[in-house]
Amino acid sequence: MAIYEYYCPTCRDTFELRRPMSEATVATKCACGQPAERTISNFAVARGEGAAVAQMEPEFGASGGCACGGGGCGCSS
Ligand SMILES: [Zn+2]
């Protein structure tokens, strides 16, 4: 499970939702009943479109943020 942030254009507000990573890109609804879009934390937004972000996600799911998954590359995570 991971926490994702979503934006409701109707409320112009953001909210967080805890859900499985496999459902991260599945559309969800705001409390107001309107569709909400997934938003990405600031650093990820700065790096580009959703496709790039999706490619990065498995790394976030690992430990510490390095793609090695811990111990493989000398990142000491
Ligand atoms: Zn809303």
Side-chain angles (χ1 to χ4, degrees):
M1 298 288 276
I3 295 176
Y4 297 100
E5 190 173 83
Y6 295 84
Y7 170 73
C8 174
T10 305
C11 302
R12 295 183 180 177
D13 199 6
T14 59
F15 61 95
E16 292 180 343
L17 200 62
R18 187 178 173 90
R19 62 197 323 207
M21 194 171 294
S22 60
E23 295 181 14
T25 58
V26 178
T28 189
K29 283 187 177 181
C30 172
C32 71
Q34 296 301 309
E37 304 166 359
R38 184 181 168 201
T39 67
I40 311 298
S41 51
N42 291 335
F43 74 93
V45 170
R47 295 184 64 146
E49 302 295 322
V53 172
Q55 290 176 353
M56 292 168 58
E57 273 184 359
E59 300 179 19
F60 295 156
S63 59
C66 178
C68 71
C73 74
C75 67
S76 75
S77 67

